[in-house]
Amino acid sequence: MYKYELAVVLSVKLEEEERAAAIEKVKGYITRFNGNVTGVDEWGKKRLAYEIQKSREAYYYFIQFETEDNNCPNEVEAHIRMMETVIRYLIVKQEA
């Protein structure tokens, strides 16, 4: 099993229901491509280091998942890239 952590930064303009729907969609992508979500950390609204899309704040989420499929992170990333609500993302492989 390979363990990964996905950092997702969502637009500050989203309502709570829209943020929850976006995170559920991301979790759905992980499970669709043979991944297993092991944890979700919501950090809430934080100040950005620099302005992105005319915004100085955003919502931060960290999703831990594991998979045996080496292609899973690539597929998840390809689908997250198309989501308009996500302004930044990063998948990192965790050390064993």
mmCIF file of all heavy atoms in Angstrom, residues 1-8 21-41 61-80 83 89-92:
data_model
loop_
_atom_site.group_PDB
_atom_site.id
_atom_site.type_symbol
_atom_site.label_atom_id
_atom_site.label_comp_id
_atom_site.label_asym_id
_atom_site.label_seq_id
_atom_site.Cartn_x
_atom_site.Cartn_y
_atom_site.Cartn_z
ATOM 1 N N MET A 1 0.836 -1.191 0.000
ATOM 2 C CA MET A 1 0.000 0.000 0.000
ATOM 3 C C MET A 1 0.875 1.247 0.000
ATOM 4 O O MET A 1 1.798 1.350 0.795
ATOM 5 C CB MET A 1 -0.863 0.059 1.249
ATOM 6 C CG MET A 1 -2.177 -0.617 1.230
ATOM 7 S SD MET A 1 -3.338 -0.023 0.060
ATOM 8 C CE MET A 1 -4.733 -0.919 0.594
ATOM 9 N N TYR A 2 0.539 2.165 -0.868
ATOM 10 C CA TYR A 2 1.209 3.454 -0.906
ATOM 11 C C TYR A 2 0.314 4.472 -0.214
ATOM 12 O O TYR A 2 -0.891 4.489 -0.432
ATOM 13 C CB TYR A 2 1.472 3.886 -2.350
ATOM 14 C CG TYR A 2 2.332 2.920 -3.112
ATOM 15 C CD1 TYR A 2 1.769 2.071 -4.049
ATOM 16 C CD2 TYR A 2 3.696 2.863 -2.893
ATOM 17 C CE1 TYR A 2 2.552 1.179 -4.766
ATOM 18 C CE2 TYR A 2 4.495 1.977 -3.604
ATOM 19 C CZ TYR A 2 3.914 1.142 -4.540
ATOM 20 O OH TYR A 2 4.692 0.258 -5.234
ATOM 21 N N LYS A 3 0.903 5.318 0.620
ATOM 22 C CA LYS A 3 0.141 6.340 1.345
ATOM 23 C C LYS A 3 0.434 7.707 0.751
ATOM 24 O O LYS A 3 1.589 8.036 0.477
ATOM 25 C CB LYS A 3 0.491 6.315 2.824
ATOM 26 C CG LYS A 3 0.071 5.034 3.498
ATOM 27 C CD LYS A 3 0.338 5.073 4.972
ATOM 28 C CE LYS A 3 -0.137 3.768 5.588
ATOM 29 N NZ LYS A 3 -0.093 3.793 7.032
ATOM 30 N N TYR A 4 -0.624 8.497 0.595
ATOM 31 C CA TYR A 4 -0.520 9.828 0.007
ATOM 32 C C TYR A 4 -1.275 10.829 0.854
ATOM 33 O O TYR A 4 -2.162 10.471 1.628
ATOM 34 C CB TYR A 4 -1.125 9.837 -1.405
ATOM 35 C CG TYR A 4 -0.412 8.968 -2.393
ATOM 36 C CD1 TYR A 4 -0.797 7.640 -2.593
ATOM 37 C CD2 TYR A 4 0.651 9.453 -3.142
ATOM 38 C CE1 TYR A 4 -0.151 6.837 -3.500
ATOM 39 C CE2 TYR A 4 1.315 8.645 -4.056
ATOM 40 C CZ TYR A 4 0.904 7.344 -4.230
ATOM 41 O OH TYR A 4 1.561 6.553 -5.135
ATOM 42 N N GLU A 5 -0.900 12.099 0.689
ATOM 43 C CA GLU A 5 -1.647 13.194 1.297
ATOM 44 C C GLU A 5 -1.955 14.203 0.197
ATOM 45 O O GLU A 5 -1.072 14.589 -0.570
ATOM 46 C CB GLU A 5 -0.859 13.864 2.413
ATOM 47 C CG GLU A 5 -1.682 14.942 3.107
ATOM 48 C CD GLU A 5 -0.986 15.486 4.347
ATOM 49 O OE1 GLU A 5 0.198 15.825 4.253
ATOM 50 O OE2 GLU A 5 -1.655 15.559 5.387
ATOM 51 N N LEU A 6 -3.205 14.602 0.139
ATOM 52 C CA LEU A 6 -3.674 15.555 -0.858
ATOM 53 C C LEU A 6 -4.050 16.849 -0.151
ATOM 54 O O LEU A 6 -4.897 16.843 0.738
ATOM 55 C CB LEU A 6 -4.887 14.981 -1.595
ATOM 56 C CG LEU A 6 -5.715 15.929 -2.443
ATOM 57 C CD1 LEU A 6 -4.891 16.516 -3.580
ATOM 58 C CD2 LEU A 6 -6.939 15.207 -2.997
ATOM 59 N N ALA A 7 -3.393 17.930 -0.520
ATOM 60 C CA ALA A 7 -3.744 19.256 -0.003
ATOM 61 C C ALA A 7 -4.640 19.926 -1.028
ATOM 62 O O ALA A 7 -4.292 19.992 -2.213
ATOM 63 C CB ALA A 7 -2.493 20.087 0.231
ATOM 64 N N VAL A 8 -5.800 20.398 -0.584
ATOM 65 C CA VAL A 8 -6.758 21.058 -1.466
ATOM 66 C C VAL A 8 -7.058 22.431 -0.902
ATOM 67 O O VAL A 8 -7.378 22.571 0.281
ATOM 68 C CB VAL A 8 -8.065 20.240 -1.582
ATOM 69 C CG1 VAL A 8 -9.049 20.934 -2.504
ATOM 70 C CG2 VAL A 8 -7.793 18.837 -2.059
ATOM 71 N N ALA A 21 -19.567 19.687 -0.663
ATOM 72 C CA ALA A 21 -19.813 18.962 -1.909
ATOM 73 C C ALA A 21 -18.517 18.788 -2.700
ATOM 74 O O ALA A 21 -18.275 17.720 -3.282
ATOM 75 C CB ALA A 21 -20.854 19.689 -2.748
ATOM 76 N N ALA A 22 -17.677 19.804 -2.718
ATOM 77 C CA ALA A 22 -16.407 19.729 -3.445
ATOM 78 C C ALA A 22 -15.489 18.679 -2.810
ATOM 79 O O ALA A 22 -14.856 17.888 -3.526
ATOM 80 C CB ALA A 22 -15.717 21.091 -3.462
ATOM 81 N N ILE A 23 -15.420 18.637 -1.482
ATOM 82 C CA ILE A 23 -14.576 17.656 -0.802
ATOM 83 C C ILE A 23 -15.121 16.245 -1.017
ATOM 84 O O ILE A 23 -14.359 15.300 -1.233
ATOM 85 C CB ILE A 23 -14.428 17.997 0.699
ATOM 86 C CG1 ILE A 23 -13.656 19.301 0.858
ATOM 87 C CG2 ILE A 23 -13.754 16.862 1.460
ATOM 88 C CD1 ILE A 23 -12.264 19.297 0.249
ATOM 89 N N GLU A 24 -16.440 16.081 -1.007
ATOM 90 C CA GLU A 24 -17.030 14.770 -1.280
ATOM 91 C C GLU A 24 -16.727 14.324 -2.702
ATOM 92 O O GLU A 24 -16.489 13.142 -2.955
ATOM 93 C CB GLU A 24 -18.544 14.794 -1.045
ATOM 94 C CG GLU A 24 -18.932 14.822 0.410
ATOM 95 C CD GLU A 24 -18.395 13.638 1.198
ATOM 96 O OE1 GLU A 24 -18.451 12.490 0.696
ATOM 97 O OE2 GLU A 24 -17.891 13.856 2.312
ATOM 98 N N LYS A 25 -16.714 15.270 -3.625
ATOM 99 C CA LYS A 25 -16.393 14.954 -5.016
ATOM 100 C C LYS A 25 -14.942 14.477 -5.135
ATOM 101 O O LYS A 25 -14.649 13.498 -5.824
ATOM 102 C CB LYS A 25 -16.621 16.198 -5.876
ATOM 103 C CG LYS A 25 -16.606 15.950 -7.345
ATOM 104 C CD LYS A 25 -17.031 17.218 -8.085
ATOM 105 C CE LYS A 25 -17.146 16.987 -9.561
ATOM 106 N NZ LYS A 25 -17.563 18.177 -10.289
ATOM 107 N N VAL A 26 -14.034 15.151 -4.424
ATOM 108 C CA VAL A 26 -12.627 14.753 -4.428
ATOM 109 C C VAL A 26 -12.473 13.356 -3.818
ATOM 110 O O VAL A 26 -11.763 12.505 -4.357
ATOM 111 C CB VAL A 26 -11.759 15.781 -3.674
ATOM 112 C CG1 VAL A 26 -10.345 15.256 -3.468
ATOM 113 C CG2 VAL A 26 -11.737 17.108 -4.418
ATOM 114 N N LYS A 27 -13.153 13.104 -2.703
ATOM 115 C CA LYS A 27 -13.101 11.781 -2.073
ATOM 116 C C LYS A 27 -13.671 10.723 -3.006
ATOM 117 O O LYS A 27 -13.188 9.591 -3.047
ATOM 118 C CB LYS A 27 -13.847 11.810 -0.738
ATOM 119 C CG LYS A 27 -13.092 12.583 0.333
ATOM 120 C CD LYS A 27 -13.878 12.904 1.570
ATOM 121 C CE LYS A 27 -14.707 11.838 2.161
ATOM 122 N NZ LYS A 27 -15.399 12.269 3.409
ATOM 123 N N GLY A 28 -14.694 11.092 -3.772
ATOM 124 C CA GLY A 28 -15.269 10.177 -4.750
ATOM 125 C C GLY A 28 -14.278 9.811 -5.843
ATOM 126 O O GLY A 28 -14.228 8.664 -6.290
ATOM 127 N N TYR A 29 -13.495 10.794 -6.284
ATOM 128 C CA TYR A 29 -12.454 10.516 -7.275
ATOM 129 C C TYR A 29 -11.431 9.526 -6.725
ATOM 130 O O TYR A 29 -10.984 8.623 -7.420
ATOM 131 C CB TYR A 29 -11.743 11.799 -7.706
ATOM 132 C CG TYR A 29 -12.562 12.731 -8.558
ATOM 133 C CD1 TYR A 29 -12.442 14.096 -8.413
ATOM 134 C CD2 TYR A 29 -13.451 12.253 -9.510
ATOM 135 C CE1 TYR A 29 -13.176 14.969 -9.196
ATOM 136 C CE2 TYR A 29 -14.191 13.115 -10.288
ATOM 137 C CZ TYR A 29 -14.052 14.474 -10.133
ATOM 138 O OH TYR A 29 -14.784 15.333 -10.903
ATOM 139 N N ILE A 30 -11.055 9.707 -5.468
ATOM 140 C CA ILE A 30 -10.062 8.814 -4.856
ATOM 141 C C ILE A 30 -10.586 7.388 -4.822
ATOM 142 O O ILE A 30 -9.889 6.445 -5.213
ATOM 143 C CB ILE A 30 -9.683 9.309 -3.441
ATOM 144 C CG1 ILE A 30 -8.918 10.627 -3.540
ATOM 145 C CG2 ILE A 30 -8.864 8.264 -2.700
ATOM 146 C CD1 ILE A 30 -8.711 11.339 -2.222
ATOM 147 N N THR A 31 -11.833 7.204 -4.377
ATOM 148 C CA THR A 31 -12.382 5.846 -4.293
ATOM 149 C C THR A 31 -12.649 5.260 -5.681
ATOM 150 O O THR A 31 -12.508 4.052 -5.874
ATOM 151 C CB THR A 31 -13.669 5.807 -3.449
ATOM 152 O OG1 THR A 31 -14.614 6.746 -3.982
ATOM 153 C CG2 THR A 31 -13.374 6.144 -2.005
ATOM 154 N N ARG A 32 -13.015 6.112 -6.650
ATOM 155 C CA ARG A 32 -13.265 5.619 -8.009
ATOM 156 C C ARG A 32 -12.009 5.017 -8.636
ATOM 157 O O ARG A 32 -12.085 4.059 -9.392
ATOM 158 C CB ARG A 32 -13.775 6.748 -8.903
ATOM 159 C CG ARG A 32 -14.128 6.225 -10.303
ATOM 160 C CD ARG A 32 -14.353 7.273 -11.358
ATOM 161 N NE ARG A 32 -15.208 8.365 -10.973
ATOM 162 C CZ ARG A 32 -15.396 9.424 -11.743
ATOM 163 N NH1 ARG A 32 -14.798 9.529 -12.909
ATOM 164 N NH2 ARG A 32 -16.184 10.411 -11.356
ATOM 165 N N PHE A 33 -10.855 5.575 -8.309
ATOM 166 C CA PHE A 33 -9.602 5.102 -8.895
ATOM 167 C C PHE A 33 -8.822 4.208 -7.929
ATOM 168 O O PHE A 33 -7.608 4.285 -7.828
ATOM 169 C CB PHE A 33 -8.765 6.286 -9.364
ATOM 170 C CG PHE A 33 -9.451 7.070 -10.453
ATOM 171 C CD1 PHE A 33 -9.925 8.348 -10.203
ATOM 172 C CD2 PHE A 33 -9.652 6.517 -11.698
ATOM 173 C CE1 PHE A 33 -10.571 9.062 -11.192
ATOM 174 C CE2 PHE A 33 -10.304 7.229 -12.695
ATOM 175 C CZ PHE A 33 -10.769 8.504 -12.448
ATOM 176 N N ASN A 34 -9.564 3.371 -7.183
ATOM 177 C CA ASN A 34 -8.998 2.320 -6.320
ATOM 178 C C ASN A 34 -8.216 2.850 -5.131
ATOM 179 O O ASN A 34 -7.255 2.228 -4.694
ATOM 180 C CB ASN A 34 -8.114 1.360 -7.135
ATOM 181 C CG ASN A 34 -8.874 0.736 -8.282
ATOM 182 O OD1 ASN A 34 -10.027 0.390 -8.118
ATOM 183 N ND2 ASN A 34 -8.231 0.633 -9.426
ATOM 184 N N GLY A 35 -8.619 3.982 -4.598
ATOM 185 C CA GLY A 35 -7.993 4.522 -3.399
ATOM 186 C C GLY A 35 -8.908 4.356 -2.201
ATOM 187 O O GLY A 35 -10.102 4.102 -2.338
ATOM 188 N N ASN A 36 -8.349 4.508 -1.013
ATOM 189 C CA ASN A 36 -9.108 4.399 0.222
ATOM 190 C C ASN A 36 -8.792 5.619 1.080
ATOM 191 O O ASN A 36 -7.647 5.785 1.514
ATOM 192 C CB ASN A 36 -8.742 3.100 0.945
ATOM 193 C CG ASN A 36 -9.506 2.929 2.231
ATOM 194 O OD1 ASN A 36 -10.613 3.427 2.378
ATOM 195 N ND2 ASN A 36 -8.906 2.244 3.179
ATOM 196 N N VAL A 37 -9.788 6.466 1.327
ATOM 197 C CA VAL A 37 -9.595 7.672 2.136
ATOM 198 C C VAL A 37 -9.455 7.259 3.592
ATOM 199 O O VAL A 37 -10.318 6.585 4.147
ATOM 200 C CB VAL A 37 -10.778 8.649 1.965
ATOM 201 C CG1 VAL A 37 -10.616 9.853 2.869
ATOM 202 C CG2 VAL A 37 -10.907 9.080 0.514
ATOM 203 N N THR A 38 -8.337 7.650 4.220
ATOM 204 C CA THR A 38 -8.093 7.276 5.611
ATOM 205 C C THR A 38 -8.301 8.435 6.582
ATOM 206 O O THR A 38 -8.408 8.217 7.775
ATOM 207 C CB THR A 38 -6.661 6.734 5.786
ATOM 208 O OG1 THR A 38 -5.732 7.717 5.333
ATOM 209 C CG2 THR A 38 -6.472 5.457 4.987
ATOM 210 N N GLY A 39 -8.343 9.671 6.076
ATOM 211 C CA GLY A 39 -8.558 10.803 6.965
ATOM 212 C C GLY A 39 -8.717 12.109 6.205
ATOM 213 O O GLY A 39 -8.205 12.261 5.103
ATOM 214 N N VAL A 40 -9.467 13.028 6.814
ATOM 215 C CA VAL A 40 -9.655 14.356 6.243
ATOM 216 C C VAL A 40 -9.460 15.380 7.354
ATOM 217 O O VAL A 40 -10.122 15.299 8.393
ATOM 218 C CB VAL A 40 -11.065 14.521 5.626
ATOM 219 C CG1 VAL A 40 -11.252 15.927 5.085
ATOM 220 C CG2 VAL A 40 -11.315 13.494 4.547
ATOM 221 N N ASP A 41 -8.538 16.303 7.151
ATOM 222 C CA ASP A 41 -8.318 17.389 8.104
ATOM 223 C C ASP A 41 -8.774 18.692 7.485
ATOM 224 O O ASP A 41 -8.315 19.067 6.407
ATOM 225 C CB ASP A 41 -6.826 17.522 8.453
ATOM 226 C CG ASP A 41 -6.313 16.326 9.226
ATOM 227 O OD1 ASP A 41 -7.112 15.705 9.947
ATOM 228 O OD2 ASP A 41 -5.124 16.021 9.104
ATOM 229 N N TYR A 61 -7.891 22.058 3.087
ATOM 230 C CA TYR A 61 -8.257 20.687 3.450
ATOM 231 C C TYR A 61 -7.080 19.771 3.142
ATOM 232 O O TYR A 61 -6.400 19.955 2.130
ATOM 233 C CB TYR A 61 -9.476 20.210 2.645
ATOM 234 C CG TYR A 61 -10.752 20.933 2.995
ATOM 235 C CD1 TYR A 61 -11.084 22.127 2.373
ATOM 236 C CD2 TYR A 61 -11.628 20.422 3.944
ATOM 237 C CE1 TYR A 61 -12.250 22.795 2.695
ATOM 238 C CE2 TYR A 61 -12.802 21.078 4.266
ATOM 239 C CZ TYR A 61 -13.104 22.268 3.634
ATOM 240 O OH TYR A 61 -14.254 22.925 3.962
ATOM 241 N N PHE A 62 -6.863 18.786 4.008
ATOM 242 C CA PHE A 62 -5.817 17.793 3.802
ATOM 243 C C PHE A 62 -6.464 16.413 3.881
ATOM 244 O O PHE A 62 -7.045 16.057 4.904
ATOM 245 C CB PHE A 62 -4.701 17.936 4.837
ATOM 246 C CG PHE A 62 -3.939 19.214 4.676
ATOM 247 C CD1 PHE A 62 -4.341 20.365 5.336
ATOM 248 C CD2 PHE A 62 -2.843 19.276 3.831
ATOM 249 C CE1 PHE A 62 -3.651 21.555 5.177
ATOM 250 C CE2 PHE A 62 -2.147 20.458 3.666
ATOM 251 C CZ PHE A 62 -2.552 21.601 4.331
ATOM 252 N N ILE A 63 -6.347 15.656 2.789
ATOM 253 C CA ILE A 63 -6.978 14.340 2.695
ATOM 254 C C ILE A 63 -5.881 13.290 2.615
ATOM 255 O O ILE A 63 -5.040 13.331 1.716
ATOM 256 C CB ILE A 63 -7.890 14.262 1.455
ATOM 257 C CG1 ILE A 63 -8.966 15.350 1.525
ATOM 258 C CG2 ILE A 63 -8.514 12.870 1.340
ATOM 259 C CD1 ILE A 63 -9.791 15.480 0.261
ATOM 260 N N GLN A 64 -5.896 12.348 3.564
ATOM 261 C CA GLN A 64 -4.946 11.247 3.550
ATOM 262 C C GLN A 64 -5.641 10.054 2.893
ATOM 263 O O GLN A 64 -6.803 9.764 3.207
ATOM 264 C CB GLN A 64 -4.500 10.857 4.958
ATOM 265 C CG GLN A 64 -3.721 11.919 5.703
ATOM 266 C CD GLN A 64 -4.599 12.985 6.327
ATOM 267 O OE1 GLN A 64 -5.733 12.729 6.692
ATOM 268 N NE2 GLN A 64 -4.073 14.186 6.457
ATOM 269 N N PHE A 65 -4.922 9.392 1.988
ATOM 270 C CA PHE A 65 -5.482 8.200 1.364
ATOM 271 C C PHE A 65 -4.375 7.211 1.044
ATOM 272 O O PHE A 65 -3.200 7.556 1.062
ATOM 273 C CB PHE A 65 -6.304 8.542 0.114
ATOM 274 C CG PHE A 65 -5.523 9.089 -1.052
ATOM 275 C CD1 PHE A 65 -5.148 8.269 -2.100
ATOM 276 C CD2 PHE A 65 -5.199 10.440 -1.125
ATOM 277 C CE1 PHE A 65 -4.448 8.767 -3.190
ATOM 278 C CE2 PHE A 65 -4.507 10.953 -2.209
ATOM 279 C CZ PHE A 65 -4.124 10.107 -3.254
ATOM 280 N N GLU A 66 -4.792 5.974 0.803
ATOM 281 C CA GLU A 66 -3.843 4.929 0.451
ATOM 282 C C GLU A 66 -4.381 4.153 -0.740
ATOM 283 O O GLU A 66 -5.596 4.085 -0.955
ATOM 284 C CB GLU A 66 -3.572 4.006 1.631
ATOM 285 C CG GLU A 66 -4.797 3.355 2.231
ATOM 286 C CD GLU A 66 -4.515 2.614 3.522
ATOM 287 O OE1 GLU A 66 -3.482 2.896 4.151
ATOM 288 O OE2 GLU A 66 -5.332 1.770 3.879
ATOM 289 N N THR A 67 -3.463 3.581 -1.516
ATOM 290 C CA THR A 67 -3.843 2.828 -2.703
ATOM 291 C C THR A 67 -2.720 1.878 -3.086
ATOM 292 O O THR A 67 -1.562 2.110 -2.729
ATOM 293 C CB THR A 67 -4.163 3.770 -3.882
ATOM 294 O OG1 THR A 67 -4.572 2.993 -5.003
ATOM 295 C CG2 THR A 67 -2.972 4.625 -4.264
ATOM 296 N N GLU A 68 -3.074 0.817 -3.775
ATOM 297 C CA GLU A 68 -2.078 -0.098 -4.328
ATOM 298 C C GLU A 68 -1.798 0.242 -5.791
ATOM 299 O O GLU A 68 -0.855 -0.266 -6.366
ATOM 300 C CB GLU A 68 -2.565 -1.539 -4.199
ATOM 301 C CG GLU A 68 -2.628 -2.007 -2.764
ATOM 302 C CD GLU A 68 -3.097 -3.437 -2.648
ATOM 303 O OE1 GLU A 68 -3.419 -4.061 -3.673
ATOM 304 O OE2 GLU A 68 -3.149 -3.931 -1.514
ATOM 305 N N ASP A 69 -2.647 1.076 -6.378
ATOM 306 C CA ASP A 69 -2.556 1.444 -7.787
ATOM 307 C C ASP A 69 -1.670 2.681 -7.940
ATOM 308 O O ASP A 69 -1.992 3.746 -7.429
ATOM 309 C CB ASP A 69 -3.960 1.724 -8.331
ATOM 310 C CG ASP A 69 -3.985 2.002 -9.818
ATOM 311 O OD1 ASP A 69 -2.924 1.910 -10.471
ATOM 312 O OD2 ASP A 69 -5.080 2.310 -10.322
ATOM 313 N N ASN A 70 -0.552 2.537 -8.639
ATOM 314 C CA ASN A 70 0.351 3.674 -8.845
ATOM 315 C C ASN A 70 -0.266 4.772 -9.700
ATOM 316 O O ASN A 70 0.190 5.914 -9.670
ATOM 317 C CB ASN A 70 1.652 3.207 -9.512
ATOM 318 C CG ASN A 70 2.551 2.477 -8.547
ATOM 319 O OD1 ASN A 70 2.490 2.694 -7.343
ATOM 320 N ND2 ASN A 70 3.373 1.591 -9.075
ATOM 321 N N ASN A 71 -1.300 4.452 -10.465
ATOM 322 C CA ASN A 71 -1.924 5.422 -11.359
ATOM 323 C C ASN A 71 -2.993 6.264 -10.651
ATOM 324 O O ASN A 71 -3.418 7.286 -11.175
ATOM 325 C CB ASN A 71 -2.533 4.695 -12.568
ATOM 326 C CG ASN A 71 -2.737 5.611 -13.733
ATOM 327 O OD1 ASN A 71 -1.971 6.552 -13.938
ATOM 328 N ND2 ASN A 71 -3.776 5.351 -14.493
ATOM 329 N N CYS A 72 -3.431 5.862 -9.475
ATOM 330 C CA CYS A 72 -4.494 6.563 -8.745
ATOM 331 C C CYS A 72 -4.198 8.045 -8.530
ATOM 332 O O CYS A 72 -5.047 8.883 -8.847
ATOM 333 C CB CYS A 72 -4.773 5.858 -7.426
ATOM 334 S SG CYS A 72 -6.015 6.665 -6.400
ATOM 335 N N PRO A 73 -3.025 8.427 -8.002
ATOM 336 C CA PRO A 73 -2.769 9.862 -7.790
ATOM 337 C C PRO A 73 -2.817 10.677 -9.086
ATOM 338 O O PRO A 73 -3.311 11.803 -9.085
ATOM 339 C CB PRO A 73 -1.364 9.893 -7.184
ATOM 340 C CG PRO A 73 -1.170 8.545 -6.610
ATOM 341 C CD PRO A 73 -1.947 7.606 -7.468
ATOM 342 N N ASN A 74 -2.344 10.097 -10.195
ATOM 343 C CA ASN A 74 -2.378 10.804 -11.472
ATOM 344 C C ASN A 74 -3.803 11.034 -11.940
ATOM 345 O O ASN A 74 -4.137 12.114 -12.443
ATOM 346 C CB ASN A 74 -1.601 10.018 -12.531
ATOM 347 C CG ASN A 74 -0.143 9.891 -12.186
ATOM 348 O OD1 ASN A 74 0.416 10.715 -11.479
ATOM 349 N ND2 ASN A 74 0.473 8.824 -12.675
ATOM 350 N N GLU A 75 -4.656 10.029 -11.797
ATOM 351 C CA GLU A 75 -6.058 10.159 -12.211
ATOM 352 C C GLU A 75 -6.793 11.167 -11.334
ATOM 353 O O GLU A 75 -7.566 11.987 -11.829
ATOM 354 C CB GLU A 75 -6.758 8.796 -12.155
ATOM 355 C CG GLU A 75 -6.271 7.811 -13.175
ATOM 356 C CD GLU A 75 -6.655 8.187 -14.599
ATOM 357 O OE1 GLU A 75 -7.597 8.980 -14.794
ATOM 358 O OE2 GLU A 75 -5.989 7.698 -15.527
ATOM 359 N N VAL A 76 -6.565 11.104 -10.028
ATOM 360 C CA VAL A 76 -7.210 12.048 -9.107
ATOM 361 C C VAL A 76 -6.788 13.472 -9.448
ATOM 362 O O VAL A 76 -7.616 14.380 -9.535
ATOM 363 C CB VAL A 76 -6.868 11.697 -7.639
ATOM 364 C CG1 VAL A 76 -7.327 12.789 -6.696
ATOM 365 C CG2 VAL A 76 -7.480 10.363 -7.258
ATOM 366 N N GLU A 77 -5.501 13.664 -9.668
ATOM 367 C CA GLU A 77 -4.982 14.990 -10.012
ATOM 368 C C GLU A 77 -5.584 15.508 -11.312
ATOM 369 O O GLU A 77 -5.936 16.688 -11.418
ATOM 370 C CB GLU A 77 -3.462 14.926 -10.124
ATOM 371 C CG GLU A 77 -2.806 16.267 -10.308
ATOM 372 C CD GLU A 77 -1.298 16.164 -10.279
ATOM 373 O OE1 GLU A 77 -0.769 15.619 -9.293
ATOM 374 O OE2 GLU A 77 -0.673 16.629 -11.234
ATOM 375 N N ALA A 78 -5.733 14.648 -12.301
ATOM 376 C CA ALA A 78 -6.305 15.061 -13.585
ATOM 377 C C ALA A 78 -7.744 15.538 -13.435
ATOM 378 O O ALA A 78 -8.156 16.503 -14.100
ATOM 379 C CB ALA A 78 -6.242 13.897 -14.575
ATOM 380 N N HIS A 79 -8.502 14.918 -12.546
ATOM 381 C CA HIS A 79 -9.890 15.334 -12.347
ATOM 382 C C HIS A 79 -10.003 16.567 -11.456
ATOM 383 O O HIS A 79 -10.861 17.412 -11.677
ATOM 384 C CB HIS A 79 -10.703 14.169 -11.776
ATOM 385 C CG HIS A 79 -11.030 13.132 -12.797
ATOM 386 N ND1 HIS A 79 -10.126 12.167 -13.199
ATOM 387 C CD2 HIS A 79 -12.141 12.925 -13.534
ATOM 388 C CE1 HIS A 79 -10.675 11.408 -14.117
ATOM 389 N NE2 HIS A 79 -11.903 11.845 -14.346
ATOM 390 N N ILE A 80 -9.143 16.680 -10.452
ATOM 391 C CA ILE A 80 -9.169 17.865 -9.585
ATOM 392 C C ILE A 80 -8.786 19.110 -10.374
ATOM 393 O O ILE A 80 -9.327 20.189 -10.150
ATOM 394 C CB ILE A 80 -8.230 17.672 -8.370
ATOM 395 C CG1 ILE A 80 -8.797 16.610 -7.443
ATOM 396 C CG2 ILE A 80 -8.026 18.975 -7.620
ATOM 397 C CD1 ILE A 80 -7.894 16.262 -6.289
ATOM 398 N N MET A 83 -11.728 20.998 -11.711
ATOM 399 C CA MET A 83 -12.725 21.549 -10.791
ATOM 400 C C MET A 83 -12.515 23.053 -10.620
ATOM 401 O O MET A 83 -11.428 23.490 -10.259
ATOM 402 C CB MET A 83 -12.640 20.851 -9.429
ATOM 403 C CG MET A 83 -13.025 19.392 -9.457
ATOM 404 S SD MET A 83 -12.813 18.569 -7.859
ATOM 405 C CE MET A 83 -13.968 19.466 -6.834
ATOM 406 N N TYR A 89 -3.877 22.638 -5.464
ATOM 407 C CA TYR A 89 -3.876 21.278 -4.941
ATOM 408 C C TYR A 89 -2.460 20.724 -5.031
ATOM 409 O O TYR A 89 -1.642 21.211 -5.815
ATOM 410 C CB TYR A 89 -4.836 20.382 -5.736
ATOM 411 C CG TYR A 89 -4.451 20.240 -7.178
ATOM 412 C CD1 TYR A 89 -3.590 19.239 -7.601
ATOM 413 C CD2 TYR A 89 -4.879 21.172 -8.119
ATOM 414 C CE1 TYR A 89 -3.201 19.138 -8.922
ATOM 415 C CE2 TYR A 89 -4.509 21.075 -9.432
ATOM 416 C CZ TYR A 89 -3.664 20.065 -9.831
ATOM 417 O OH TYR A 89 -3.272 19.975 -11.131
ATOM 418 N N LEU A 90 -2.183 19.717 -4.245
ATOM 419 C CA LEU A 90 -0.886 19.066 -4.285
ATOM 420 C C LEU A 90 -1.015 17.674 -3.664
ATOM 421 O O LEU A 90 -1.538 17.530 -2.566
ATOM 422 C CB LEU A 90 0.158 19.873 -3.512
ATOM 423 C CG LEU A 90 1.572 19.287 -3.456
ATOM 424 C CD1 LEU A 90 2.200 19.283 -4.852
ATOM 425 C CD2 LEU A 90 2.434 20.084 -2.507
ATOM 426 N N ILE A 91 -0.531 16.662 -4.394
ATOM 427 C CA ILE A 91 -0.505 15.292 -3.873
ATOM 428 C C ILE A 91 0.930 14.939 -3.554
ATOM 429 O O ILE A 91 1.805 15.087 -4.394
ATOM 430 C CB ILE A 91 -1.096 14.294 -4.885
ATOM 431 C CG1 ILE A 91 -2.562 14.608 -5.163
ATOM 432 C CG2 ILE A 91 -0.930 12.869 -4.359
ATOM 433 C CD1 ILE A 91 -3.205 13.698 -6.174
ATOM 434 N N VAL A 92 1.157 14.464 -2.327
ATOM 435 C CA VAL A 92 2.497 14.113 -1.872
ATOM 436 C C VAL A 92 2.468 12.681 -1.348
ATOM 437 O O VAL A 92 1.571 12.300 -0.610
ATOM 438 C CB VAL A 92 2.952 15.063 -0.730
ATOM 439 C CG1 VAL A 92 4.316 14.679 -0.227
ATOM 440 C CG2 VAL A 92 2.940 16.493 -1.199
#
